[in-house]
Amino acid sequence: MTATSTPARTRVSRSRWRVVAGVVVAAAVLLGIYIPFTNTAAGGDHYGSALTAWSIATTGSADLSPFVEAKESLWLFAVGDEVVTNRFPGAVLYAVPFYAVGDLFTDRFSMWPGVVAASTFAAAAVLLMWAALLPMGRRVALGGASILGLGTATIAVSADTQWSHAPAQTALAAALLAHTPGRLGWAGVALGMAVVVRPHLAVAALAIGIWMAAAARSATPALRIGLGTLPGVAILLTYNGVVHDRFLPTNGLERSADDVPWGGSGGGEGLASLPENLLGTLASPGRGILVLYPVLVLLAFWLPAAWRRATSAERAAAVGALAYLVAQLTLNRYSGGWWYFGSRLTIEPLTLAFP
């Protein structure tokens, strides 16, 4: 028995080490591609996230008043005697460890740790997507992960600077990896972490839970996903209560909507602007996914067949992606602002629909 089982265990061990080595090499390759082309300019809403992450890492506080005044940025505002950013907690907290390491080398603020954090999480999202696609075959997994990592806004936006998109993608890819009937609770936990980063991803989590429940003709899948998201919701509300002095994650956003010069960025807000925003998302020169990422045009021909072959979990994720996209394009203009190139607002729904 020992003589026959030992070689088998050895082969399994070697195979696992090959996988680990391959993942490490893939991560190094992605970081080698991402980091040299990142954006370290200290402007935009990613600046508010980066400065807050640095402040928490170096002082233990999200109060930015020792460093800036609220009027210096559209994404900073006063809460009592403190100055804070209106960026959501997940967009701040994921970079805190990187700034803690950076503080070992310099006591000055720099965008670089946040940039490295974004590239690292973007690479992690690609690798998790590879793992999620493996049941479809090794070639599909490798090709799909490569398209997501190098042929979409993952490289142009998520990995570019400390936006919220890289950690959101990582959480959603983790949810897809766990999104099987036996691990719906863990999928819910991952979706909860996505909500910490971008609270309106709660729409996707809700749609996924409802679809899974309807497909199973049981409320159990929705309850398991819903219970899993609760830790993320608790983190979101606690952070907002402590930092923003309110529990609803809207502090300062109304100021940005009033003050940002949206005129040159394209699109509108509200249900009336949804058709324009959908068209701009698909076909506008600077934001249209079918213009910027032509590989998606080719993949679109296989969508009907993919839907027929998809599992209930994969269909639920696609429905969640559509629900989130509609919500996102109702709340925001399709352009998603300025100071970047690519289709920023489609990153999360594209990630969810990728399988």
Side-chain angles (χ1 to χ4, degrees):
M1 177 69 75
T2 303
T4 57
S5 61
T6 300
R9 286 199 298 267
T10 302
R11 286 195 296 271
V12 171
S13 178
R14 288 177 178 174
S15 176
R16 288 176 178 174
W17 278 111
R18 289 194 191 100
V19 172
V20 171
V23 169
V24 171
V25 170
V29 170
L30 287 170
L31 289 175
I33 295 172
Y34 289 163
I35 291 177
F37 299 100
T38 50
N39 173 21
T40 58
D45 52 358
H46 50 277
Y47 168 66
S49 298
L51 188 62
T52 306
W54 172 73
S55 178
I56 293 174
T58 57
T59 71
S61 172
D63 177 19
L64 305 179
S65 59
F67 316 112
V68 294
E69 295 182 11
K71 63 183 180 181
E72 291 184 9
S73 170
L74 294 169
W75 296 275
L76 303 176
F77 65 101
V79 175
D81 296 330
E82 297 184 351
V83 174
V84 298
T85 182
N86 65 2
R87 298 300 87 193
F88 302 126
V92 173
L93 297 176
Y94 84 98
V96 169
F98 292 83
Y99 275 101
V101 173
D103 189 51
L104 299 175
F105 301 95
T106 177
D107 58 356
R108 294 184 177 182
F109 169 74
S110 168
M111 292 291 293
W112 267 110
V115 163
V116 174
S119 292
T120 301
F121 272 75
V126 173
L127 295 174
L128 286 169
M129 183 63 73
W130 167 79
L133 296 176
L134 270 179
M136 300 182 189
R138 294 182 179 180
R139 291 183 179 179
V140 171
L142 180 60
S146 299
I147 290 170
L148 180 68
L150 302 175
T152 70
T154 301
I155 183 173
V157 180
S158 294
D160 182 54
T161 192
Q162 196 180 327
W163 299 96
S164 60
H165 301 291
Q169 275 191 287
T170 302
L172 294 177
L176 291 172
L177 182 59
H179 202 184
T180 61
R183 294 184 292 177
L184 288 181
W186 287 112
V189 171
L191 289 169
M193 294 302 103
V195 170
V196 178
V197 181
R198 294 180 71 79
H200 40 309
L201 277 167
V203 174
L206 179 63
I208 289 170
I210 292 174
W211 184 275
M212 293 291 289
R217 297 183 178 180
S218 168
T220 301
L223 289 174
R224 295 181 68 180
I225 291 175
L227 290 174
T229 63
L230 289 181
V233 174
I235 293 172
L236 175 68
L237 296 180
T238 301
Y239 179 95
N240 279 285
V242 172
V243 175
H244 294 172
D245 200 25
R246 65 170 79 172
F247 288 110
L248 293 179
T250 58
N251 212 9
L253 293 181
E254 64 275 10
R255 174 185 171 187
S256 296
D258 292 337
D259 295 350
V260 169
W262 286 114
S265 62
E269 298 172 356
L271 282 173
S273 298
L274 185 58
E276 177 189 0
N277 286 339
L278 285 171
L279 180 61
T281 295
L282 291 174
S284 65
R287 299 290 187 260
I289 59 173
L290 301 182
V291 176
L292 299 176
Y293 318 122
V295 66
L296 299 181
V297 178
L298 299 177
L299 292 177
F301 287 102
W302 280 271
L303 273 177
W307 179 263
R308 288 193 297 270
R309 292 195 300 265
T311 66
S312 176
E314 290 163 356
R315 291 181 179 181
V319 170
L322 182 60
Y324 172 80
L325 182 63
V326 171
Q328 177 68 90
L329 294 180
T330 302
L331 294 169
N332 202 345
R333 297 169 182 246
Y334 74 82
S335 58
W338 64 105
W339 291 335
Y340 73 95
F341 180 80
S343 182
R344 186 171 73 83
L345 301 186
T346 59
I347 292 174
E348 289 77 22
L350 184 61
T351 301
L352 274 175
F354 222 70

